[in-house]
Every structure is written in C-alpha cells, then in structure tokens.
C-alpha cells in the first residue's frame, strides 16, 4: 500500500523542506488540495525541494479553469519535477460552480471525461508535434502555434486522476483516467459493494485493471502517539462526517448501511443552521464505519482492516512533535500491506 501526506501549503517557504522531509520518511506522495489557496504553486516549491516523491493536486477544481490553462500548469510541474507530477481534478458541486466561480453546471461527469481527454490532446500536441484538433461537446481546441508550444518533456505523459463519489463520475474515471481520488465519505462496505465492482467493470471494458489504476482515499485515518491524541483527532473527523453526511448527493453511502434517516436528520440540521449539532449526531459506531483510528503502534493493522484490498493509497498526518523514527516505522508498516496498484501505464499514443 502507498502512503501520502498533505503539503503545508499555507506557507510556501515550508513546502520545499516539507517535501524533502516526507521523502526522507519514505512517503510515496505529497499532495496539495484546493481550499482557500491555489493547489499548483505550492507544488512548484515542493518540486524544487525534493527529488523522488510524487506531487499531486488533490484536487484542482476543473471547470473554472480552461483545460489549456491546466495543461500549461501541469506541463511546467511535470518538467521541473522530472516527471513526478500527478494531475488530480475535481468538479466540485453545482452551488460552488455557479455561485462561487460563476461558471455553468452542465453534464458534470461527461464534461469531466471530455476535460481529461482535452488536456491529454494538448499535451500530445506539445510532446509529439501532432496537430491540435480536439473537438468535443463542451471543449474545442484547434489552434496551437510554435510560439505557444512548450518544448517536449522527453518524459512519460503525466498521470491524471479525478475525484469521484457517484457512479457516473466513477465510470468516467475508469474509462479515461489513470486513477480515482475517492471522497473520504466512504465505508469499506460501500467500497466493496458499490465502488470497486463498478470500477472493475469499466476498467475491464477499457482494457485496464487495478494493477495500473490507482484508487486513493475512500475513508479517513485518525492516529496519534496515545489514546488522548487519537480521541482528539477523531472528534474533528466526527464533525466532518456529519458535514459530508448532510449532503444529499452523498446519501447513498448511508443508504448502504441502513442509515438513510441519519442523512435526512443531518441535512435538516444544516437547513436550520445548527452546524454545532452535526458532530453529536455521529456516534462511535458510525464513526468507525468511515475511519481507521489507532495509536501509531497499532495503525498499520487498523489500516489493513479498513482499507486493505479496497484502496491503494492512504493519507496519514503526523503531529509536529512526532520524531522521524516513529514516522518511518508507521509508514514502513503501512507499506507492507499488500496492494493491487503496480504503476501508471501512461502513453503518448
């Protein structure tokens, strides 16, 4: 199993040293989300401070950005990291697209699949010199001149992953991407019965398998040096589960466990503005459906039970005071868990 962590993106000066430390700890991936910040620039600093670790956006919001803009950013990061960049894209939800970004919300899953194909068409033009001639339902790219064409990378095509929750986006990920970034609001039962069977079917139809398709996430990891630290971290995740569970689009996960009524009550609480009630509605039994939680000495076993065989990469966050030996021991233990993913199979053809 592969292990990732989150870049300290709030301070660019910390990004290079943090990437090098993550590399020294044996982490496979360091990622940068898009919240109140840009997800690409911190990875540039991380690229300059490291030599081995993968660098991933997790995820960049796609639709407010033209595929051409994202292609440029991804190209530069791939070049300056010497092929270590992984482009992670997400659609966000309708309200944020329309009301926060002022962009239309049209056929998000199909549009995302087309977006990925468009980025690849642009990259292929730059690498191989092929004519840029991409015409889709949502995007058209037919003009590229030498002045605006970066030099070929001479490296494998950067992998692309998309964030997915529902069946339509999962299908697009399996058909067109090199991996999928699953939402944390997932349980092992939902992964085994809904997510992975759907992915397996579409991967087979596309001539792929889980050996060359990375499944990232699908739950939460809560850890610490002692029970008090684990409990404190779990309380933060308890609220997040309540928050995500209040979203009707994610209701299917609750449905799989006969918890539909809980999702309805959480949604009603948010409509009343009772955000402070959400965590209290998530009891320990529900929490443990979504979380692998344990002290560091027991964490690899907890992750194996929760994620083993259903996902390939998990994200683990350590405390600032944790020593390097502890971090390395935990990471090495997780990496011993058998996994399906063997590597990306990207091609310029």
């Amino acid at each position: 199993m592969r292990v990732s962590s989150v870049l300290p993106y709030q301070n660019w000066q910390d990004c290079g040293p943090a990437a090098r430390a993550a590399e020294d700890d044996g982490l496979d991936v360091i990622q940068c989300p898009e919240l109140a910040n840009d997800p690409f620039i911190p990875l540039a600093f991380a690229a300059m401070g490291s030599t081995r670790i993968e660098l991933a956006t997790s995820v960049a919001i796609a639709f407010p950005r033209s595929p051409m803009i994202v292609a440029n950013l991804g190209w530069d990061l791939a070049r300056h990291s010497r092929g270590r960049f992984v482009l992670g894209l997400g659609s966000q939800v309708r309200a944020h697209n329309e009301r926060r970004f002022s962009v239309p919300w049209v056929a998000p899953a199909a549009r995302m699949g087309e977006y990925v194909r468009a980025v690849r068409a642009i990259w292929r033009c730059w690498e191989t010199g092929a004519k840029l001639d991409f015409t889709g339902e949502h995007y058209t790219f037919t003009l590229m001149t030498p002045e605006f064409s970066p030099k070929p990378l001479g490296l494998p095509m950067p992998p692309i992953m998309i964030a997915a929750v529902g069946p339509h986006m999962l299908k697009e990920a399996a058909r067109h991407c090199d991996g999928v970034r699953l939402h944390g609001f997932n349980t092992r039962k939902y992964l085994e019965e809904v997510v992975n069977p759907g992915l397996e079917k579409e991967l087979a139809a596309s001539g792929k398998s889980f050996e060359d398709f990375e499944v990232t996430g699908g739950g939460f990891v809560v850890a610490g040096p002692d029970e008090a630290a684990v409990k404190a971290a779990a309380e933060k995740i308890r609220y997040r589960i309540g928050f995500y569970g209040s979203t009707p689009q994610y209701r299917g996960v609750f449905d799989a466990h006969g918890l539909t009524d809980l999702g309805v009550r959480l949604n009603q609480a948010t409509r009343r503005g009772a955000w402070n009630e959400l965590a209290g509605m998530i009891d320990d039994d529900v929490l443990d459906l979504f979380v692998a939680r344990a002290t560091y000495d027991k964490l690899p076993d907890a992750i194996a039970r929760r994620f083993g065989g259903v996902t390939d990469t998990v994200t683990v966050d350590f405390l600032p005071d944790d020593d390097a030996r502890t971090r390395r021991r935990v990471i090495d233990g997780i990496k011993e868990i058998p996994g399906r993913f063997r590597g990306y199979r990207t091609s310029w053809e």
Side-chain angles (χ1 to χ4, degrees):
M1 182 172 284
R2 306 210 312 156
V3 190
S4 71
S5 188
V6 178
L7 195 66
Y9 51 84
Q10 295 91 342
N11 188 337
W12 290 351
Q13 292 181 337
D14 293 339
C15 292
R20 175 58 61 85
E23 199 166 68
D24 291 343
D25 286 341
L27 286 167
D28 300 285
V29 187
I30 195 161
Q31 52 187 293
C32 187
E34 179 172 4
L35 296 170
N37 61 283
D38 176 89
F40 293 98
I41 297 175
L43 291 176
F45 290 96
M48 297 299 95
S50 59
T51 59
R52 180 194 59 80
I53 197 167
E54 283 184 11
L55 312 165
T57 51
S58 64
V59 291
I61 308 306
F63 300 148
R65 297 179 172 94
S66 164
M68 184 65 71
I69 301 298
V70 168
N72 267 128
L73 290 164
W75 195 263
D76 286 345
L77 283 166
R79 177 184 296 282
H80 292 289
S81 68
R82 298 180 180 87
R84 292 181 288 129
F85 176 65
V86 178
L87 176 59
L89 297 169
S91 65
Q92 250 295 351
V93 296
R94 180 171 192 157
H96 283 266
N97 277 266
E98 293 183 340
R99 295 163 51 198
R100 183 157 72 97
F101 292 111
S102 190
V103 294
W105 181 254
V106 179
R111 186 179 172 194
M112 183 64 82
E114 186 176 301
Y115 194 109
V116 171
R117 297 197 305 276
V119 171
R120 287 211 176 108
I122 296 166
W123 283 347
R124 194 172 295 113
C125 167
W126 292 341
E127 183 70 18
T128 69
K131 178 179 172 57
L132 181 57
D133 186 18
F134 182 88
T135 301
E137 183 177 351
H138 307 282
Y139 298 101
T140 298
F141 297 96
T142 58
L143 175 64
M144 183 55 59
T145 63
E147 291 82 0
F148 297 104
S149 298
K151 294 180 180 180
L153 290 175
L155 298 164
M157 179 181 282
I160 302 179
M161 306 175 71
I162 61 174
V165 177
H168 298 299
M169 200 67 79
L170 287 166
K171 181 181 292 187
E172 295 297 319
R175 287 180 174 179
H176 304 297
C177 298
D178 305 292
V180 63
R181 292 193 173 277
L182 298 178
H183 201 288
F185 191 76
N186 264 293
T187 66
R188 185 177 183 94
K189 177 181 176 70
Y190 192 75
L191 292 174
E192 288 178 331
E193 297 181 1
V194 178
V195 173
N196 278 336
L199 287 173
E200 186 173 23
K201 177 182 176 181
E202 294 298 330
L203 287 171
S206 302
K208 297 187 286 187
S209 74
F210 284 118
E211 288 192 354
D212 49 39
F213 183 87
E214 184 181 10
V215 179
T216 298
F220 301 95
V221 175
V222 171
D226 51 45
E227 293 294 345
V230 173
K231 183 177 181 180
E235 292 310 305
K236 298 177 183 178
I237 300 300
R238 196 185 301 272
Y239 171 81
R240 289 177 65 185
I241 293 170
F243 172 76
Y244 292 135
S246 71
T247 305
Q249 291 93 326
Y250 303 161
R251 189 76 46 79
V253 183
F254 276 155
D255 293 345
H257 293 271
L259 296 169
T260 304
D261 181 63
L262 174 58
V264 172
R265 289 188 288 113
L266 287 165
N267 181 256
Q268 291 172 342
T270 62
R271 289 178 177 274
R272 297 195 311 270
W275 301 96
N276 61 336
E277 296 180 9
L278 300 183
M281 299 168 70
I282 306 300
D283 62 28
D284 283 350
D285 288 339
V286 173
L287 180 70
D288 286 332
L289 293 175
F290 293 87
V291 173
R293 54 173 173 157
T295 52
Y296 290 144
D297 60 318
K298 300 177 181 177
L299 186 60
D301 288 339
I303 287 177
R305 290 192 300 271
R306 173 61 180 78
F307 293 100
V310 295
T311 191
D312 306 304
T313 305
V314 295
T315 299
V316 178
D317 295 315
F318 293 95
L319 298 176
D321 294 335
D322 291 334
D323 62 87
R325 182 178 298 179
T326 296
R327 296 194 304 267
R328 188 66 192 238
R329 184 173 64 249
V330 173
I331 291 166
D332 286 347
I334 297 170
K335 293 174 76 167
E336 290 179 1
I337 300 169
R340 304 165 298 182
F341 180 64
R342 295 292 178 267
Y344 302 113
R345 191 183 65 181
T346 60
S347 171
W348 292 107
E349 297 180 357

